[in-house]
């Protein structure tokens, strides 16, 4: 077997981190939801209602992780363009006739199966960008190339933001920005992209919100509430304020597992989903939240290490994008809960309740584990000319990848 075909063991450190975060998440979903499940007949007064479903989602996700880790990662190139087109089609269906909950329209139902296309769109964007940045290297060094690539990626971002789902839209934009930076796109093009994006982001503050169509200034008011949540603790600032109260109540070591007050009915909203990090902070204190942060930091380090070790450009970009997809979303969620970013509906990967987020996340991490098994693979090895080899090396030196 030559070096190009060598298959190594997967990155076990990464797998252990994933497993620990997943198990901790199942425990926290039970802990943060059993009071709600007992209080309402909709959940059959079953304290294990949410935990049982989360365990099922976790097992399905682990199955997807194992399958995806066994598939040679270069096979995913075939889904780069079709995957993006399918995700855009699903987002359009959501925009027109999706399921609504709490003022947001983010889901599509197929009988008993309900999916959130924006979660699939994140994976599709990572695959598409990895393919484009590998196959169209010269094009992305031009302003025209960056413009059309921004249009292609901007469509799912805009459709996701309109649901409204600002958190996932921001995650996709962060993925795009970091992958462009890793590809060595010219700084002036990045500066223009950031400037235009900032103007568009400010413009969205003045657009009407689907969740509050009768309040034209709702988005701007939410932004002002984020800056001073204590000024409107009973209305727009209620959720972020209760999250801060939960975090503050935990102190250094927390009040203990199961003793959170804010998770009870009438307390912190979305305690098992978007704001589960606040429950972690209340029950385990600064030590617990620091360990969770350390877990995602370790995941990011292992993912970027895999990207650095991988010789194939597509594998490098794919590993980078998948790592940013999970760790970037975790960082945005923690920033929201700690009032460092405006409140958006975005789950904490591997920990928050919900199969629409958990299963695609585990499948993406399975692809990352698969990349770690094939670090020496290089497509068309032996057919590259020395000129192409030198071009490839310059390309990754610009990206800061050695």
């Amino acid at each position: 077997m030559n070096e190009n075909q060598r298959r190594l063991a997967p990155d076990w450190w990464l797998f252990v981190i994933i497993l620990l975060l997943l198990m901790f998440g199942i425990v926290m979903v039970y802990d943060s939801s059993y009071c709600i499940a007992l209080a309402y007949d909709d959940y059959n007064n079953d304290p294990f209602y949410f935990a049982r479903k989360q365990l099922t989602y976790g097992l399905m996700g682990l199955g997807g992780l194992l399958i995806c880790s066994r598939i040679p990662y270069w096979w995913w190139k075939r889904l780069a363009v079709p995957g993006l087109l399918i995700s855009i089609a699903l987002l359009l269906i959501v925009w027109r006739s999706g399921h609504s909950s709490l003022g947001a329209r983010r889901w599509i139902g197929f009988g008993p199966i309900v999916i959130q296309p924006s979660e699939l769109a994140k994976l599709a964007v990572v695959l598409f960008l990895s393919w484009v940045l590998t196959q169209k290297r010269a094009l992305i060094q031009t302003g025209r190339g960056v413009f059309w690539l921004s249009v292609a990626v901007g469509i799912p971002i805009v459709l996701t933001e309109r649901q409204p789902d600002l958190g996932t839209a921001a995650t996709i934009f962060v993925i795009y920005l970091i992958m462009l930076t890793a590809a060595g796109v010219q700084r002036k093009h990045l500066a223009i992209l950031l400037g235009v994006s900032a103007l568009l982001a400010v413009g969205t503050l003045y657009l009407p919100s689907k969740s509050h169509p009768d309040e034209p200034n709702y988005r701007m008011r939410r932004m002002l509430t984020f800056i001073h949540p204590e000024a409107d603790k009973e209305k727009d600032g209620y959720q972020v304020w209760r999250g801060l109260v939960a975090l503050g109540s935990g102190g250094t070591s927390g009040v203990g597992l199961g003793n959170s007050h804010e998770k009870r009915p009438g307390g912190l909203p979305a305690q098992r989903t978007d704001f589960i990090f606040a429950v972690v902070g209340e029950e385990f204190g600064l030590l617990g939240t620091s360990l969770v942060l350390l877990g995602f930091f370790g995941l990011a380090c292992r993912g970027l290490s895999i990207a650095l070790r991988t010789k194939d450009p597509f594998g490098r970009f794919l590993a980078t994008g998948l790592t940013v997809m999970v760790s970037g979303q975790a960082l945005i969620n923690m920033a929201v809960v700690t009032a460092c970013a405006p409140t958006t509906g975005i789950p904490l990967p591997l920990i928050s309740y919900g199969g629409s987020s958990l299963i695609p996340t585990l499948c993406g991490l399975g692809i990352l584990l698969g990349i770690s098994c094939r670090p020496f693979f290089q497509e068309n090895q032996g057919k590259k000319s020395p000129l192409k080899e030198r071009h490839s090396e310059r390309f990754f030196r610009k990206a800061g990848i050695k």
Side-chain angles (χ1 to χ4, degrees):
M1 180 181 295
N2 60 38
E3 192 76 354
N4 194 44
Q5 297 174 322
R6 283 182 62 192
R7 177 181 173 86
L8 305 180
D11 189 313
W12 290 109
W13 282 111
L14 175 61
F15 181 72
V16 168
I17 292 171
I18 294 168
L19 207 56
L20 288 175
L21 288 172
L22 178 61
M23 291 189 297
F24 179 70
I26 293 171
V27 171
M28 288 310 303
V29 165
Y30 167 73
D31 178 61
S32 62
S33 67
Y34 74 86
C35 292
I36 299 294
L38 284 172
Y40 296 100
D41 293 336
D42 291 347
Y43 309 125
N44 303 319
N45 305 114
D46 178 8
F48 296 98
Y49 179 85
F50 294 103
R52 187 182 298 111
K53 295 182 73 173
Q54 186 73 353
L55 178 60
T56 302
Y57 298 145
L59 292 174
M60 292 172 63
L62 283 176
L65 179 145
L66 294 174
I67 292 171
C68 290
S69 67
R70 299 292 298 178
I71 297 174
Y73 69 82
W74 52 89
W75 183 88
W76 298 102
K77 282 185 181 181
R78 305 175 187 179
L79 297 180
V81 176
L84 184 68
L85 294 176
I86 291 171
S87 68
I88 290 173
L90 292 174
L91 288 170
L92 285 170
I93 294 173
V94 169
W95 190 49
R96 299 298 300 174
S97 57
H99 292 181
S100 299
S101 177
L102 300 177
R105 180 179 291 173
R106 302 177 184 173
W107 300 271
I108 302 176
F110 299 96
I113 301 173
V114 178
I115 64 171
Q116 187 173 347
S118 59
E119 294 293 334
L120 301 177
K122 288 188 300 185
L123 267 176
V125 167
V126 170
L127 285 173
F128 177 74
L129 286 173
S130 300
W131 175 75
V132 170
L133 297 177
T134 302
Q135 302 295 327
K136 310 294 181 182
R137 298 180 184 180
L139 184 62
I140 61 169
Q141 299 301 324
T142 65
R144 184 178 64 177
V146 173
F147 171 77
W148 286 112
L149 185 58
S150 299
V151 170
V153 177
I155 293 172
I157 290 177
V158 171
L159 290 175
T160 300
E161 189 277 333
R162 291 281 80 198
Q163 292 179 359
D165 188 355
L166 182 59
T168 303
T171 302
I172 297 174
F173 179 74
V174 169
I175 292 169
Y176 178 47
L177 192 64
I178 292 179
M179 291 187 72
L180 278 186
T181 304
V185 172
Q186 295 184 41
R187 293 179 182 177
K188 64 178 181 180
H189 296 152
L190 284 176
I192 294 171
L193 175 63
L194 284 172
V196 173
S197 300
L199 290 174
L200 292 174
V202 171
T204 61
L205 296 177
Y206 297 94
L207 293 176
S209 172
K210 277 189 176 182
S211 57
H212 294 76
D214 300 327
E215 301 180 54
N217 297 321
Y218 175 74
R219 289 172 180 264
M220 179 60 73
R221 197 171 69 247
R222 285 296 294 268
M223 178 62 69
L224 296 175
T225 299
F226 144 69
I227 298 172
H228 298 291
E230 69 280 359
D232 193 9
K233 296 187 289 187
E234 301 303 321
K235 193 177 179 184
D236 291 332
Y238 180 79
Q239 186 173 32
V240 65
W241 179 253
R242 298 319 303 177
L244 291 174
V245 168
L247 289 168
S249 301
T252 303
S253 56
V255 298
L257 181 64
N259 296 325
S260 167
H261 175 75
E262 290 298 326
K263 71 185 179 186
R264 302 181 186 281
L268 174 67
Q271 70 286 105
R272 64 185 177 275
T273 52
D274 303 338
F275 271 70
I276 197 169
F277 188 68
V279 179
V280 174
E282 185 177 8
E283 297 193 345
F284 297 101
L286 179 62
L287 293 176
T289 53
S290 298
L291 286 174
V292 172
L293 184 60
L294 184 63
F296 283 106
F297 178 73
L299 188 150
C301 288
R302 297 312 304 170
L304 293 178
S305 174
I306 291 168
L308 290 170
R309 295 198 310 268
T310 303
K311 294 184 179 296
D312 181 52
F314 176 74
R316 286 189 178 190
F317 285 124
L318 188 55
T320 301
L322 292 170
T323 301
V324 174
M325 182 185 79
V326 179
S327 56
Q329 180 173 324
L331 190 61
I332 293 173
N333 175 273
M334 295 178 192
V336 167
V337 174
T338 56
C340 295
T343 305
T344 59
I346 183 170
L348 184 60
L350 301 173
I351 295 179
S352 291
Y353 170 77
S356 293
S357 171
L358 182 60
I359 295 174
T361 297
L362 285 170
C363 288
L365 290 171
I367 297 174
L368 184 59
L369 285 169
I371 297 172
S372 72
C373 297
R374 302 269 191 176
F376 304 111
F377 173 81
Q378 286 183 286
E379 191 170 24
N380 298 324
Q381 190 184 45
K383 296 182 180 180
K384 286 186 176 181
S385 68
L387 178 62
K388 290 185 176 180
E389 288 286 356
R390 290 196 296 272
H391 177 77
S392 178
E393 290 301 317
R394 287 199 304 271
F395 178 73
F396 282 107
R397 276 202 299 272
K398 286 182 181 179
I401 299 175
K402 299 179 181 179

